[in-house]
Amino acid sequence: MLPSGQVVVSGWAVGASCPVSRVEVWLDGRFQGCAGLGRPRTDVAAALQDDDAELSGFEFRFDSRRLDRLGDRALVGASVILLDGTRADLPPVRISIAPAIDSQASPLAWSSERTPPEPPRRRLRQQRVRLLCVARSLDHGGSQLRMRELMTHLQTTEGFETTVMSPTEGPLRCELEAAGTSVHVAPIPIDDISAYEKQLAIATAWADGKFDVVLAFTLTSFPAIELAWRLGLPSVWRIGENEPLATVVAWLGGKLDPSVELRAKSAFDMASAVRFISESTLLLGRQTGFAGRSVVFGNGADVAAARAYVAATDRDTCRRNLGIGREQRVLVCAGTLWPVKGQALLVAALERVRPDHPGLECILIGQQFDAYAAALSRFVDRHRLQGAVRFVPFCDDLRPWMRAVDVVACPSESEAMPTSVVEAMAFGLPVLAARVGGIPDIVEEGVTGWLCEPNDLGSLVEGVARVAKAKPGELRALGERAMARVAETHDRAKALSRMTDLLRHVMRGTQPRGLERPAAMRADDRWTGRRAGGKLPPDNKSWAAMRAMFSSIFRK
């Protein structure tokens, strides 16, 4: 019997005559979605003595708690569809899923109908606002770069004193400190509730009296919200992931203790406000029961600076400096080399299209995970694509690439609103992207770019072929409309201003523009920080139990 929660369907598939296009996953005859492809499987390659099977792995995740038949036996099946349309149904597997844990039995129960405790009426400090931002890590991932961008803006423009707390060290530390942001490394493990409690108590003692407001910058930064609640501070939770917490944790190679997961759910109630970066992330939150105060606005690009750079530089010169020929049609995919980002499918699609379009080239820019990046590199070597696929390490200044290339590709399995796409459009580039998350909100088929189905090699091949066949005039027209779209909806200055506005409002306990409050909330309900010792509504037994438990912990 599988425990209630994340169910993982994984395996491998190799086509004898042509590549695998997609793997469909079914549950009791109901289509659930297509599995992510391109997972490294060196064991399969060795067993089959087929080097091309090295990237034959697939994986699909779903949350059993969202199914209609919890506790019943279910039949999980998968169908493999090759690029030529050949279909093979893999033998189904019958599983039994344990009933969901009764969250109401826990003192940390999370209920969307529960009213948070009355917030403290805090007096604003006259000096600089002291912000604690809790990050996922200090590497060069997309969320971390957006965090650096915001910290720099707050530190230099908005009168904040900024501190970043991260569970690990990383190259971003030096960059943050050079810009005036303090960095504190303090791991709070989420795979063991006892270790979580211990380290959170240590972090609370360290932070006591040092800050005025707390910002959790990613979905997995939820301990920051509980930290703020214990300190009686207002907090904002920025969520940029378009997947459930358990999926994100698994993708990052971690484990999530069920009791800690309940704490993460409670954090939705504790947060003064939750900022989602796309409507799709808000929708996912609503589907999983979130009914708190929220605001939606995406990441931004510096459109004015992009336009100025385009006006001040010569495209042909940029192409020569980067080793790109005048007649080449070049796609760039900027992002961490990671299976979820879909680079394996993009390279496979390029390999299928390039015989008819020998001038086609793909640039992969970003930090690399060793096993996946190495498998991709070997695929390129085996198929003699060295002149068509180029690997470029993480680059902090992508402007020359944005000026030189023709199209930006985003074949990811999961995205909310990727900054790489927004920034590319700001430079007047059309986008070829998977139809996931908030991408269809800005990438409109035939208007600002092209859309393909996620986890589907056949669909991506068609998309790459359209890029290869597009006339220069068509690319320019798509790019001009892309730039106009981003200028209207995703300007960086406006996004940073809204985030600053949100932080200042939670400090004052006032409501910013765009905030959504559930209809069930009281009309006079103020919103700001939660406080462990604050006034509780008389019928709020769950919050009372939580406060009592925390008090017991503190006494110990």
Side-chain angles (χ1 to χ4, degrees):
M1 179 176 286
L2 297 178
S4 179
Q6 285 274 307
V7 176
V8 183
V9 180
S10 63
W12 58 271
V14 176
S17 57
C18 69
V20 173
S21 179
R22 65 183 185 276
V23 175
E24 300 175 349
V25 178
W26 301 80
L27 184 68
D28 284 347
R30 293 174 292 177
F31 177 66
Q32 301 295 310
C34 290
L37 304 178
R39 272 49 176 178
R41 291 296 300 263
T42 54
D43 58 330
V44 175
L48 298 180
Q49 297 184 347
D50 180 0
D51 291 339
D52 271 352
E54 186 177 14
L55 288 167
S56 64
F58 64 80
E59 180 182 272
F60 182 82
R61 293 176 177 269
F62 63 89
D63 191 339
S64 66
R65 288 166 295 194
R66 296 175 61 188
L67 301 178
D68 297 331
R69 299 174 54 195
L70 290 179
D72 291 349
R73 295 177 65 84
L75 199 63
V76 177
S79 301
V80 178
I81 295 87
L82 302 184
L83 202 56
D84 63 5
T86 303
R87 182 186 187 95
D89 296 326
L90 301 181
V93 176
R94 188 167 294 279
I95 62 173
S96 181
I97 302 173
I101 298 174
D102 181 9
S103 61
Q104 298 302 318
S106 168
L108 293 168
W110 177 59
S111 168
S112 61
E113 298 177 356
R114 189 171 67 234
T115 304
E118 194 69 25
R121 299 186 179 273
R122 302 182 56 81
R123 180 177 300 173
L124 280 178
R125 297 162 49 89
Q126 297 301 312
Q127 56 265 47
R128 290 162 66 88
V129 176
R130 302 171 301 174
L131 169 73
L132 173 63
C133 176
V134 178
R136 172 190 296 164
S137 66
L138 294 175
D139 61 20
H140 285 130
S143 294
Q144 288 71 266
L145 295 177
R146 302 291 75 74
M147 176 197 66
R148 180 189 64 180
E149 180 182 280
L150 177 63
M151 295 303 103
T152 301
H153 172 75
L154 294 174
Q155 181 81 19
T156 59
T157 309
E158 301 292 347
F160 281 68
E161 291 178 5
T162 55
T163 299
V164 168
M165 187 171 83
S166 166
T168 59
E169 288 282 5
L172 210 59
R173 176 171 192 153
C174 293
E175 299 167 30
L176 287 166
E177 291 179 335
T181 294
S182 301
V183 176
H184 177 70
V185 176
I188 301 179
I190 60 175
D191 59 348
D192 178 80
I193 185 62
S194 298
Y196 175 89
E197 281 288 357
K198 178 180 178 181
Q199 294 302 319
L200 187 60
I202 292 173
T204 302
W206 164 79
D208 191 18
K210 292 186 174 73
F211 305 102
D212 303 305
V213 62
V214 176
L215 170 63
F217 208 77
T218 65
L219 181 63
T220 55
S221 300
F222 63 87
I225 305 301
E226 187 174 337
L227 172 66
W229 186 80
R230 291 185 179 198
L231 294 170
L233 295 176
S235 61
V236 175
W237 193 358
R238 172 195 176 275
I239 297 181
E241 296 87 346
N242 207 51
E243 298 291 338
L245 175 63
T247 297
V248 175
V249 171
W251 278 350
L252 296 173
K255 294 182 179 179
L256 184 61
D257 185 300
S259 296
V260 176
E261 187 175 11
L262 284 177
R263 304 289 274 271
K265 290 182 176 180
S266 293
F268 278 105
D269 278 345
M270 296 178 191
S272 304
V274 181
R275 174 207 165 181
F276 296 94
I277 71 167
S278 72
E279 293 289 347
S280 64
T281 58
L282 173 60
L283 177 61
L284 178 63
R286 297 296 191 208
Q287 289 174 342
T288 54
F290 167 65
R293 306 165 180 86
S294 65
V295 64
V296 179
F297 58 94
N299 299 321
D302 193 338
V303 180
R307 285 175 171 166
Y309 188 88
V310 169
T313 55
D314 178 69
R315 183 172 183 269
D316 289 339
T317 300
C318 287
R319 287 172 77 92
R320 283 197 304 272
N321 292 341
L322 295 172
I324 299 173
R326 294 189 63 180
E327 302 303 319
Q328 287 177 280
R329 178 62 52 84
V330 183
L331 301 91
V332 66
C333 179
T336 302
L337 265 66
W338 182 34
V340 177
K341 296 296 184 181
Q343 293 99 340
L345 250 65
L346 181 60
V347 171
L350 186 82
E351 189 262 337
R352 305 298 294 185
V353 174
R354 197 166 187 265
D356 295 328
H357 303 276
L360 197 60
E361 184 179 357
C362 179
I363 313 291
L364 303 178
I365 304 177
Q367 62 179 349
Q368 303 178 3
F369 285 122
D370 293 340
Y372 180 64
L376 272 178
S377 180
R378 287 190 288 269
F379 180 92
V380 167
D381 291 341
R382 283 194 304 272
H383 291 270
R384 300 180 182 178
L385 294 171
Q386 295 89 340
V389 178
R390 200 188 317 181
F391 296 90
V392 177
F394 168 78
C395 178
D396 203 26
D397 185 4
L398 291 175
R399 293 177 301 171
W401 292 103
M402 294 295 108
R403 186 70 176 101
V405 304
D406 302 288
V407 173
V408 163
C410 181
S412 298
E413 300 171 14
S414 177
E415 294 283 359
M417 183 60 70
T419 304
S420 61
V421 167
V422 174
E423 290 182 340
M425 295 173 70
F427 276 85
L429 292 174
V431 176
L432 169 65
R435 196 188 306 271
V436 295
I439 288 179
D441 295 338
I442 57 172
V443 179
E444 186 177 351
E445 178 68 36
V447 177
T448 58
W450 306 271
L451 293 169
C452 59
E453 297 306 315
N455 304 317
D456 189 330
L457 177 59
S459 181
L460 187 55
V461 166
E462 293 176 2
V464 172
R466 293 182 68 182
V467 169
K469 295 174 183 177
K471 302 296 183 184
E474 180 185 355
L475 293 180
R476 283 194 298 271
L478 290 168
E480 289 171 1
R481 291 192 292 265
M483 181 184 288
R485 177 70 57 85
V486 166
E488 179 183 356
T489 61
H490 287 78
D491 181 73
R492 176 173 298 170
K494 294 178 182 178
L496 291 173
S497 175
R498 291 197 69 181
M499 192 63 191
T500 305
D501 182 59
L502 180 60
L503 290 168
R504 291 194 182 280
H505 273 288
V506 301
M507 287 287 297
R508 300 186 182 100
T510 54
Q511 180 173 323
R513 54 198 166 97
L515 184 78
E516 291 186 8
R517 297 192 303 170
M521 284 188 175
R522 301 192 311 272
D524 62 343
D525 180 44
R526 285 168 54 85
W527 67 285
T528 180
R530 279 65 170 134
R531 192 186 191 100
K535 181 181 178 181
L536 294 172
D539 58 346
N540 197 331
K541 297 179 181 179
S542 296
W543 275 97
M546 182 183 289
R547 187 179 67 179
M549 192 200 71
F550 282 155
S551 298
S552 174
I553 292 170
F554 295 152
R555 285 196 299 271
K556 294 178 181 178

